[in-house]
Amino acid sequence: MKIERAEAVSVKIPLKFAFETSYGRQTERETVLVKLESEGLTGWGEAAVSECPDYCYETPPVSLLVLEKYVFPRVVGKSFETPEDLAAEIGAITGYPFSRTGVESAFIDLYCKSIGEPIHRWLGGSRTLIPAGVSLGIEDDQGVLFDRIRWALDEGYQRIKLKVKPGRDVGVLSGVRESFEDINLMVDANSCYTISDLSLLEAISKFNLIMIEQPLGPQDLADHAELQKRIRTHVCLDESIRGIEDLRAAVALGSCRIVNVKFGRVGGLLAGRELARECLRNGIAVWTGGMLETGIGRAHNLALASLAEFSLPGDVSASDRYWEEDIIEPAVIMEDGHIELSEKPGIGYEVVTKRIEAFTTARTSM
């Protein structure tokens, strides 16, 4: 397939309600959408970058620049027989995994539409009902948090993830366990603790948690290994695992028992699939994390979650978890704790360009 045109737009979309992590509080989501055109077909992807260089160094302005100057020139006007061919071409660019993911996933959507196959089938997915978990942000008002948890349970989400940070951890978890004794619960620290907080992390681990996600710094595999030796709760790594090499180092050190595979963080759906397979070979459980994506990124994430290697409910919430109105039709819907995958070609949803235009703040094209 010859890529005839590429476009990337930065969009800023209001969240349904504020979402706070140890990185800060968000009331809107700024992300980058990528569109590729070929032979009358359009493919969509999302570079789910960070608004600030905290979770990752890629921000919307950085991503637009990288796409314009370095990624688009490698693909526009060129032909690629398979997504693997395109991935190899843009893989020569060092770093910028989210930006490269936006282009790779847009091409995968385009390619699958050309062969009349949904992405999850092309990836080798083995299921069409995806178990759904939900991520809930930090709330100063515990009553608000409890209302969010009740809503999630009433909706049928199979696992609750709570964001935590120093001062909003043990006390919050104690209250949650008193009111919701038997729920499937995990916490995500987004790297806000250090090994000097060992006693605090030991206290956090006593609340019957499925896992503690990324408690320490992204490069701190050695201290994660020390922490995992000291607590029975499974340590899950997110920011620390940028690819196969990081995973192998974590396995060798004993730094974790679970990995959160965000395909944008590791450079695309193909890299995410290979990382999940490597986890399975090493006895590491995997699940799919979310980045507050729009429906475009969520559709790709759901396709990845269809793979048999993903054994735990991921952050694959329905559209109404974050948005009053998503930019795809139909909206992503969850029923009985699962999201059913579409059998339509590509991402399986129609992108509503008028809604994208209403939220667009910047763009580049080639």
Side-chain angles (χ1 to χ4, degrees):
M1 300 186 71
K2 184 177 181 179
I3 306 301
E4 299 162 0
R5 184 174 183 274
E7 182 178 31
V9 296
S10 177
V11 295
K12 188 178 291 186
I13 308 176
L15 291 169
K16 199 171 182 179
F17 45 78
F19 187 79
E20 183 175 339
T21 73
S22 61
Y23 292 128
R25 191 170 184 85
Q26 292 178 256
T27 57
E28 56 191 7
R29 179 68 171 109
E30 189 173 5
T31 186
V32 173
L33 307 177
V34 177
K35 179 173 67 171
L36 299 180
E37 297 176 1
S38 176
E39 302 172 8
L41 296 173
T42 299
W44 288 92
E46 181 167 352
V49 295
S50 297
E51 288 85 347
C52 297
D54 41 34
Y55 178 88
C56 68
Y57 56 83
E58 293 176 84
T59 63
V62 169
S63 182
L64 289 181
L65 178 63
V66 168
L67 290 168
E68 177 185 355
K69 297 293 186 181
Y70 307 112
V71 186
F72 286 172
R74 284 182 171 270
V75 300
V76 176
K78 298 181 179 180
S79 296
F80 302 94
E81 291 189 11
T82 67
E84 288 85 354
D85 294 336
L86 179 133
E89 175 65 28
I90 63 177
I93 297 170
T94 299
Y96 307 102
F98 283 95
S99 300
R100 289 187 285 112
T101 292
V103 174
E104 183 208 89
S105 55
F107 185 77
I108 289 174
D109 181 34
L110 188 67
Y111 177 81
C112 287
K113 286 173 179 173
S114 73
I115 63 174
E117 190 170 26
I119 292 175
H120 65 91
R121 296 287 182 196
W122 175 80
L123 275 175
S126 61
R127 57 192 167 202
T128 57
L129 288 177
I130 308 302
V134 68
S135 178
L136 301 179
I138 295 167
E139 299 289 348
D140 291 332
D141 186 335
Q142 191 156 278
V144 172
L145 177 61
F146 284 11
D147 287 343
R148 298 268 190 263
I149 294 173
R150 292 189 189 96
W151 167 83
L153 295 173
D154 289 344
E155 289 290 307
Y157 284 102
Q158 298 189 33
R159 183 266 295 146
I160 307 292
K161 179 170 85 172
L162 300 182
K163 297 288 187 176
V164 294
K165 66 179 181 179
R168 300 298 298 168
D169 40 39
V170 174
V172 172
L173 291 170
S174 178
V176 169
R177 274 306 184 204
E178 287 179 10
S179 298
F180 306 95
E181 183 177 357
D182 298 323
I183 63 173
N184 293 322
L185 185 66
M186 63 173 286
V187 297
D188 182 7
N190 290 116
S191 301
C192 67
Y193 299 98
T194 70
I195 197 63
S196 64
D197 298 308
L198 182 57
S199 61
L200 177 56
L201 291 165
E202 287 175 332
I204 290 172
S205 73
K206 293 178 181 178
F207 287 98
N208 189 25
L209 304 173
I210 300 171
M211 68 187 89
I212 298 177
E213 184 180 357
Q214 198 63 48
L216 310 178
Q219 280 74 53
D220 204 350
L221 293 179
D223 282 344
H224 274 111
E226 178 62 26
L227 174 63
Q228 185 64 94
K229 292 175 185 176
R230 297 284 294 271
I231 63 175
R232 296 176 64 182
T233 301
H234 296 335
V235 170
C236 170
L237 293 181
D238 174 355
E239 290 95 322
S240 293
I241 307 299
R242 298 158 298 177
I244 297 292
E245 295 81 5
D246 290 332
L247 174 63
R248 289 172 180 163
V251 169
L253 291 169
S255 302
C256 67
R257 297 173 186 153
I258 301 174
V259 165
N260 172 352
V261 177
K262 292 178 179 173
F263 68 96
R265 188 190 71 236
V266 301
L269 289 169
L270 295 171
R273 180 175 64 182
E274 182 53 36
L275 186 63
R277 290 172 176 173
E278 185 72 8
C279 283
L280 184 64
R281 286 191 286 268
N282 286 279
I284 302 292
V286 291
W287 58 285
T288 54
M291 289 291 293
L292 300 183
E293 307 98 336
T294 69
I296 293 172
R298 192 161 305 277
H300 286 284
N301 204 16
L302 285 164
L304 186 65
S306 72
L307 298 175
E309 289 85 353
F310 291 85
S311 57
L312 298 167
D315 288 337
V316 288
S317 310
S319 292
D320 65 4
R321 162 68 180 92
Y322 299 113
W323 320 113
E324 293 291 350
E325 188 175 50
D326 208 339
I327 60 171
I328 59 168
E329 286 185 348
V332 178
I333 297 172
M334 185 193 66
E335 294 182 350
D336 298 324
H338 293 81
I339 295 172
E340 185 173 5
L341 296 182
S342 171
E343 291 297 333
K344 295 180 180 178
I347 61 173
Y349 298 88
E350 295 296 323
V351 176
V352 184
T353 55
K354 288 184 179 179
R355 295 178 194 165
I356 292 175
E357 289 299 321
F359 297 122
T360 295
T361 59
R363 70 189 337 125
T364 187
S365 62
M366 183 176 178

